[in-house]
Amino acid sequence: MPDYRHMQEMSRENGILQFSHLDKADSASGFTLDDNARALILAMEMPGGREYAVCYTSFLDQSQQKDGSWSNFMLDGHYSSLFNSDDSVGRALLACSLGSSSPWPEISEKCQEMLLRNLPRAFSFQSPRAIAYTLIGLCKCQWAGLGARQQDSIKKLGEFLINLYQGQHSRKWLWFEDYLTYCNGILPQAMFALYQQTADKKALKIGYDSLNFLNSILFRQGYLNIIGNDGWYFCDQETALFDQQPVDAASTAFACMEAYESIGEIEFLELAILAHKWYRGHNIHGLSLYNAETGGCYDALTPEGVNLNQGAEAVLSLLLSDKLMKNFIGEKVDIDQSS
């Protein structure tokens, strides 16, 4: 089963802390909107998660400023706009979309309010990933209170990504941008989610082509080889190998599982499982990023090995991937094995 010990260690009564020194939570690192959004998604499904879900929902609620905008960073009770990004708001909208139908009223009511208040901001996003997070959330949102606004928003956000792909891709570069950076899987995942919601064949083709293109790069060594953040991968240039971030393994696993759920091709299921195994040693170094002593996840694969810090983004990515595997495959997959 997923190991929640380090996530709980990182959590405080007002949210989950951002960073750690080794396996010790760093209270001086503050709290972020996107980490607490990820934590809320996880807590709504974890055993005994209600108390934690209330905590993370409260953080999202309190991060909203008087003008309705969300601040991404809080330290010592003070919010800062210095680290604000469309992506953090997109993740928060995804969390609120899922939380809006929670059986726990203290979660659902707050998430509904935040979703209604902040959804209009999605139409001014410049980040394709922020739009993808929001689109996936709306496609999976089961709260009837959005009414016609839900389908209208899905249509507009879906058209944005479809038009972006159609304007950027070429015969050899089947992608939405002329580079691959972080959380790339969220873009084809959004296309598959759109197809499941609307049966849009154009979205299906784009999702299929772009995910196959991405996978041909990420899995060409026979294991998941994440694009490194020290240079990324620009069209016609070399792929950066390091640092490899845990959040990207989760993004790949979720995209492949969305594809498998959409069209049932077994290859996507196999690649989702392979992406998940990245955390436990099926990677370029053959090293596990899961710390069995603490329940934490190391922050990155580096040229030298692993970054021994174990922050919130890393452990939440691991736990969300573990939960994904258990939800779809149950006990058939032993998440503690590396092969």
Side-chain angles (χ1 to χ4, degrees):
M1 293 295 292
D3 185 344
Y4 298 102
R5 288 176 296 156
H6 190 63
M7 185 211 79
Q8 293 167 328
E9 166 64 24
M10 293 287 291
S11 296
R12 299 294 183 267
E13 63 180 13
N14 59 332
I16 189 167
L17 286 162
Q18 181 177 195
F19 296 140
S20 71
H21 290 303
L22 301 178
D23 61 343
K24 303 301 181 185
D26 179 10
S27 58
S29 68
F31 305 80
T32 68
L33 180 68
D34 47 3
D35 284 337
N36 280 272
R38 291 187 185 97
L40 173 57
I41 294 170
L42 178 66
M44 286 188 292
E45 292 197 40
M46 66 181 278
R50 185 170 186 167
E51 178 183 351
Y52 289 97
V54 170
C55 169
Y56 307 137
T57 301
S58 178
F59 182 88
L60 266 61
D61 185 45
Q62 293 173 15
S63 295
Q64 294 180 110
Q65 304 306 295
K66 291 181 180 179
D67 65 356
S69 64
W70 256 317
S71 290
N72 187 42
F73 181 71
M74 189 270 279
L75 179 64
D76 296 331
H78 300 288
Y79 291 90
S80 170
S81 60
L82 185 62
F83 303 101
N84 286 0
S85 69
D86 286 353
D87 286 8
S88 63
V89 175
R91 292 188 191 100
L93 286 169
L94 169 59
C96 289
S97 294
L98 299 176
S100 64
S101 57
S102 169
W104 304 323
E106 63 269 44
I107 307 297
S108 61
E109 291 172 8
K110 286 293 185 184
C111 285
Q112 290 165 13
E113 293 171 6
M114 290 187 284
L115 183 57
L116 288 172
R117 185 180 300 122
N118 289 281
L119 181 57
R121 297 178 182 275
F123 304 110
S124 61
F125 285 161
Q126 299 300 307
S127 164
R129 286 159 183 77
I131 290 172
Y133 284 118
T134 308
L135 178 58
I136 291 169
L138 291 173
C139 287
K140 297 181 182 298
C141 180
Q142 298 179 14
W143 176 47
L146 279 177
R149 185 182 310 187
Q150 181 176 8
Q151 293 306 316
D152 182 59
S153 299
I154 287 172
K155 183 175 184 292
K156 290 178 179 178
L157 297 176
E159 285 177 349
F160 178 95
L161 291 180
I162 288 171
N163 291 337
L164 181 67
Y165 178 85
Q166 290 179 330
Q168 289 286 342
H169 83 287
S170 65
R171 186 172 59 86
K172 294 184 177 180
W173 186 265
L174 301 173
W175 198 245
F176 303 81
E177 302 163 305
D178 61 0
Y179 47 80
L180 293 163
T181 56
Y182 62 94
C183 292
N184 297 296
I186 196 69
L187 297 172
Q189 184 189 353
M191 291 292 92
F192 280 109
L194 178 61
Y195 168 70
Q196 289 194 66
Q197 177 71 18
T198 65
D200 186 328
K201 294 294 182 63
K202 190 182 298 183
L204 173 61
K205 179 170 174 50
I206 292 173
Y208 187 84
D209 289 346
S210 61
L211 184 55
N212 279 326
F213 171 73
L214 178 63
N215 287 341
S216 72
I217 296 165
L218 297 181
F219 293 99
R220 57 190 168 195
Q221 302 299 326
Y223 53 82
L224 177 61
N225 212 12
I226 291 167
I227 294 167
N229 63 6
D230 186 16
W232 304 118
Y233 177 33
F234 286 76
C235 184
D236 296 327
Q237 297 184 20
E238 293 296 314
T239 307
L241 286 178
F242 300 103
D243 290 350
Q244 297 188 18
Q245 307 287 325
V247 70
D248 288 289
S251 178
T252 306
F254 271 85
C256 290
M257 198 65 84
E258 194 85 48
Y260 174 67
E261 189 180 27
S262 298
I263 59 177
E265 286 194 10
I266 193 66
E267 178 186 2
F268 290 117
L269 175 60
E270 293 169 347
L271 290 175
I273 294 170
L274 198 56
H276 178 250
K277 289 181 177 180
W278 179 90
Y279 291 100
R280 291 176 170 81
H282 215 70
N283 54 53
I284 191 171
H285 285 327
L287 295 173
S288 177
L289 285 89
Y290 167 62
N291 184 336
E293 293 184 5
T294 66
C297 179
Y298 297 122
D299 276 355
L301 282 179
T302 69
E304 296 76 27
V306 296
N307 179 335
L308 293 174
N309 294 323
Q310 298 160 54
E313 180 180 276
V315 72
L316 291 169
S317 299
L318 167 66
L319 290 171
L320 286 165
S321 298
D322 284 352
K323 192 67 178 174
L324 176 73
M325 290 297 131
K326 289 297 186 183
N327 285 350
F328 272 86
I329 311 171
E331 302 301 325
K332 294 180 182 178
V333 171
D334 185 349
I335 63 173
D336 294 323
Q337 298 299 312
S338 63
S339 60

